[in-house]
Amino acid sequence: MTLWIVLASVAGVLVGVSRQINGRLSLSTSPLQASFWNHAVGFGALTALGLVIGGLIPAGASDVPWHVYIGGPIGVVFVAAGSWLIARIGAVNTALLVIGGQMVSGVALDLLSAASPAIWASALGVALILAGMALTQRRR
């Protein structure tokens, strides 16, 4: 279990570093160019890793529905928006916005799923997220 916790922590740090680099690159060039280089480097690294390890294109990849691949364009918009936001509101506020958005979206998806959770627990979770974000924005 400790290995997985360490791996998750390292992944979180790497995501933070990636966002910082994209934000800095966005200041030097533009958010779209920062997003392009983020995806170009990621594509190259993952393609090389897939070629070395094997299984670059898994069996049955052509049989999946088209909507499964919509995450790619959404990711491009997300990275470009993140690069633009870091330059405008800072890394910490961007991270708070992303985390809050992911949590609220997760609750919304849970409510739409067949096995929806208790509504009071979801409402309490969203209220706590919004309250935490509001507390971080208070002036001292």
Side-chain angles (χ1 to χ4, degrees):
M1 181 82 162
T2 304
L3 173 67
W4 300 115
I5 293 171
V6 169
L7 287 176
S9 298
V10 169
V13 168
L14 290 175
V15 166
V17 169
S18 172
R19 287 190 181 145
Q20 288 291 333
I21 291 171
N22 284 340
R24 180 64 190 112
L25 183 58
S26 171
L27 286 173
S28 300
T29 58
S30 73
L32 288 178
Q33 286 180 345
S35 178
F36 169 78
W37 284 110
N38 178 68
H39 286 88
V41 170
F43 175 76
L46 289 176
T47 300
L49 185 66
L51 289 172
V52 170
I53 293 175
L56 180 62
I57 300 175
S62 62
D63 298 331
V64 297
W66 68 269
H67 59 83
V68 171
Y69 294 106
I70 199 97
I74 292 172
V76 170
V77 171
F78 182 80
V79 170
S83 298
W84 183 79
L85 274 175
I86 285 176
R88 304 300 185 280
I89 65 173
V92 173
N93 286 332
T94 301
L96 286 173
L97 185 64
V98 167
I99 292 167
Q102 287 174 339
M103 297 295 288
V104 171
S105 297
V107 169
L109 289 173
D110 282 346
L111 291 174
L112 294 174
S113 72
S116 62
I119 189 72
W120 68 269
S122 297
L124 178 63
V126 170
L128 287 172
I129 291 166
L130 294 176
M133 291 179 73
L135 283 174
T136 62
Q137 300 303 309
R138 271 191 345 195
R139 300 283 180 215
R140 293 178 194 229

